[in-house]
Amino acid sequence: MLSHHIHLGDRPFHYLGWGDQADPVILMLHGFPEYSGAWTEVAAELASDYHCVAPDQRGYGQSWAPADVSDYKAGKLVADMVALIEYLGGRPVIVFGHDWGAAVAYALAITRPDLVSHLIIANGVHPGPFQHALAAGGAQTAASQYIHYLRREGSETHLAESDFDKLLNLFNAGMDMGWMTPERRAAYVTEWARPGRMRGMVNWYRASPLKLGQPGDVITDLPAMPVEALKVRMPHLLIWGTNDSALLPEATEGLETYCDDLTRVEIDGADHWILHQAPQRVAAEVRSWLRHK
């Protein structure tokens, strides 16, 4: 694994890289509240055949972390990854997203299909089915109520109190945290404690146009989300840890409508933190699927 400090435009970014740079690129996009190191175990499994590239996305880790909410709109997050792909040579890459990284991965695949050869998602959601699930007022609405808290001004300050205990509790949310060793906790706290990063991280939630009400409330005034405008046209693999309590199965209902070529794989016993709980299984599923696609 090598650490790379680069500039995209005039802005500093950081990424971790594994494997031979001549091999096909897998661009690995982390979610909240993680950073590039979240991919260490999965990338190590794939590095014999792929050049795995895991950036700290905008607002995270050692990458650029502007303070303004407007700097975290989806178009700007995607533009960062377009610039990174161009930096890596400009050829189409395999894109692998988790959690919020899945949102960027989907947006990149939808808006710049010329740069994405294959799309892989682990416990992440397409904006179409997810918005419909959030608007329904049911179980996914209830499971996503933490978003209201994160969007409040000052949430970053509360999350950082008592050595980030509140943020670590968000990680937990009733899921298996056996993978969170003292060493890994220390590594996460180091990244969270960098100046401006906590605000950058929660700004992803503040900038998102997704609408969320209270449990039982049905939202009917949703923006137009035409299927054709949100199509995933390249081969797409969705890997799902079935014990996820943050993203529920209903958040992916109807995904086939948006995808030309979708493969679903479920991993029992894993939850939202599937990359840490089952890295060998995740890598094996990715390798097998890519071999046939």
Side-chain angles (χ1 to χ4, degrees):
M1 178 181 72
L2 293 176
S3 176
H4 302 262
H5 293 271
I6 63 173
H7 280 77
L8 301 177
D10 60 351
R11 296 157 182 166
F13 277 81
H14 170 257
Y15 74 88
L16 298 176
W18 297 257
D20 191 328
Q21 294 184 17
D23 285 336
V25 172
I26 302 181
L27 179 61
M28 298 173 155
L29 305 180
H30 68 81
F32 176 91
E34 301 205 88
Y35 71 108
S36 55
W39 292 98
T40 299
E41 296 121 314
V42 173
E45 295 289 330
L46 292 169
S48 59
D49 297 296
Y50 299 95
H51 180 206
C52 299
V53 174
D56 289 333
Q57 295 199 79
R58 179 182 295 215
Y60 286 84
Q62 299 177 65
S63 289
W64 186 54
D68 289 346
V69 173
S70 63
D71 282 318
Y72 294 86
K73 292 182 178 179
K76 296 183 178 182
L77 303 174
V78 170
D80 291 341
M81 295 305 103
V82 169
L84 179 55
I85 293 170
E86 291 172 348
Y87 173 86
L88 295 169
R91 293 182 299 277
V93 302
I94 303 157
V95 177
F96 192 171
H98 171 254
D99 186 75
W100 264 113
V104 177
Y106 273 121
L108 181 60
I110 291 165
T111 61
R112 290 300 305 271
D114 57 309
L115 296 179
V116 183
S117 65
H118 301 73
L119 177 65
I120 305 169
I121 300 294
N123 286 74
V125 287
H126 183 288
F130 188 46
Q131 178 60 92
H132 288 298
L134 290 179
Q140 185 60 64
T141 306
S144 297
Q145 288 300 296
Y146 66 91
I147 293 175
H148 291 307
Y149 164 69
L150 292 175
R151 284 175 166 173
R152 289 187 203 126
E153 191 59 39
S155 64
E156 60 267 36
T157 302
H158 296 130
L159 290 170
E161 291 174 355
S162 302
D163 199 27
F164 298 95
D165 274 353
K166 291 184 176 63
L167 184 53
L168 285 160
N169 287 337
L170 269 183
F171 245 135
N172 191 335
M175 290 184 268
D176 172 22
M177 295 300 293
W179 56 272
M180 183 64 88
T181 63
E183 294 78 16
R184 181 170 278 130
R185 183 190 188 282
Y188 272 100
V189 168
T190 295
E191 301 306 321
W192 296 338
R194 296 182 189 277
R197 268 48 180 195
M198 282 306 308
R199 178 167 177 82
M201 289 161 61
V202 296
N203 275 351
W204 283 55
Y205 288 91
R206 294 168 178 150
S208 170
L210 287 170
K211 290 192 172 187
L212 173 68
Q214 298 298 318
D217 293 343
V218 177
I219 300 174
T220 57
D221 60 335
L222 295 177
M225 302 181 75
V227 169
E228 280 304 310
L230 296 173
K231 273 279 189 178
V232 174
R233 305 200 179 276
M234 67 289 299
H236 175 15
L237 172 64
L238 176 65
I239 302 173
W240 199 264
T242 58
N243 291 347
D244 196 336
S245 61
L247 295 176
L248 309 181
E250 67 190 68
T252 74
E253 287 180 7
L255 180 59
E256 285 78 3
T257 304
Y258 296 88
C259 301
D260 290 345
D261 181 359
L262 174 65
T263 302
R264 290 181 183 255
V265 172
E266 292 188 346
I267 298 182
D268 293 331
D271 57 43
H272 193 71
W273 309 117
I274 187 171
L275 301 180
H276 303 289
Q277 296 158 344
Q280 293 178 328
R281 173 72 186 281
V282 168
E285 294 292 351
V286 167
R287 192 184 298 277
S288 174
W289 179 76
L290 287 172
R291 191 178 301 125
H292 293 94
K293 291 293 182 179

